[in-house]
Amino acid sequence: MEYFACWIFRRQEEKGQNQPFCNREWSKSCIRWFNKLVVLKDPTGHNINARYDLGRELGRGEFGVTYLCTDVETGEKLACKSISKKKLRTAVDIEDVRREVEIMKHMPKHPSIVTLKDTYEDDSAVHIVMELCEGGELFDRIVARGHYTERAAAHVMRDDCGSYPG
């Protein structure tokens, strides 16, 4: 019964019906069941700590936190975006994470495009390990500079957009 109630709750949520089916008695069961949510179709693994050491926080977004991470075998410095499953509240949120990973898997190798290294999923989070970009935020550079001439903006766009095929 507990599984069925949570299944109905999930189906209602996917249809955009935000009125939970689970009553107060079942809410703890529903939360336990949602913690076992599977987001990625084919992750590299389930234990990120077996391959990577997560270090200091690099940034924070709506769904997760990006950490400096180190490959324990090679010592390579990378970035790991850890997305808490608790923040994935709707089917759209879950599909957005799946789509992000699928897009990154199909991006061509290019110096201007971040490379996906591995994906991990455990009971509490999805971890996306990718190439580390240490150049800072483009937005911060624009604000610091104050303004760009049309010619300078064209050079930036040519450099960035020139990396995309088609």
Side-chain angles (χ1 to χ4, degrees):
M1 181 68 171
E2 164 185 313
Y3 175 83
F4 180 70
C6 293
W7 179 83
I8 291 173
F9 175 80
R10 188 168 182 198
R11 289 295 159 264
Q12 285 179 333
E13 190 173 62
E14 287 175 353
K15 292 178 183 176
Q17 300 168 347
N18 294 327
Q19 300 169 0
F21 175 85
C22 297
N23 63 24
R24 290 185 187 271
E25 294 172 25
W26 290 339
S27 64
K28 288 182 182 176
S29 299
C30 289
I31 291 168
R32 274 198 311 273
W33 187 77
F34 276 116
N35 283 341
K36 298 192 189 299
L37 174 69
V38 176
V39 176
L40 300 178
K41 295 174 184 171
D42 189 26
T44 306
H46 299 287
N47 182 7
I48 190 166
N49 297 316
R51 175 83 190 256
Y52 298 100
D53 282 331
L54 298 183
R56 67 182 170 87
E57 182 178 313
L58 298 175
R60 185 173 288 269
E62 182 180 353
F63 292 105
V65 180
T66 302
Y67 298 98
L68 178 65
C69 91
T70 307
D71 185 322
V72 294
E73 294 175 11
T74 66
E76 181 181 13
K77 300 287 185 196
L78 301 161
C80 176
K81 181 178 180 180
S82 294
I83 302 167
S84 171
K85 288 185 177 181
K86 290 179 183 177
K87 302 264 179 128
L88 302 176
R89 292 188 172 95
T90 67
V92 173
D93 295 340
I94 294 165
E95 189 56 36
D96 285 349
V97 173
R98 287 180 182 150
R99 188 177 318 110
E100 177 180 352
V101 170
E102 286 304 311
I103 289 170
M104 290 184 77
K105 283 181 178 179
H106 291 93
M107 292 303 290
K109 300 262 187 232
H110 190 281
S112 296
I113 300 175
V114 173
T115 303
L116 176 68
K117 298 291 185 174
D118 288 316
T119 56
Y120 289 83
E121 182 172 359
D122 55 36
D123 289 342
S124 62
V126 173
H127 308 280
I128 303 171
V129 180
M130 61 193 104
E131 177 183 12
L132 177 64
C133 298
E134 297 183 281
E137 292 286 333
L138 176 59
F139 178 75
D140 293 338
R141 288 185 184 181
I142 293 169
V143 170
R145 185 166 174 167
H147 73 283
Y148 274 81
T149 64
E150 185 174 342
R151 182 176 297 252
H155 285 292
V156 170
M157 293 306 295
R158 185 186 68 228
D159 291 345
D160 286 346
C161 294
S163 63
Y164 301 107

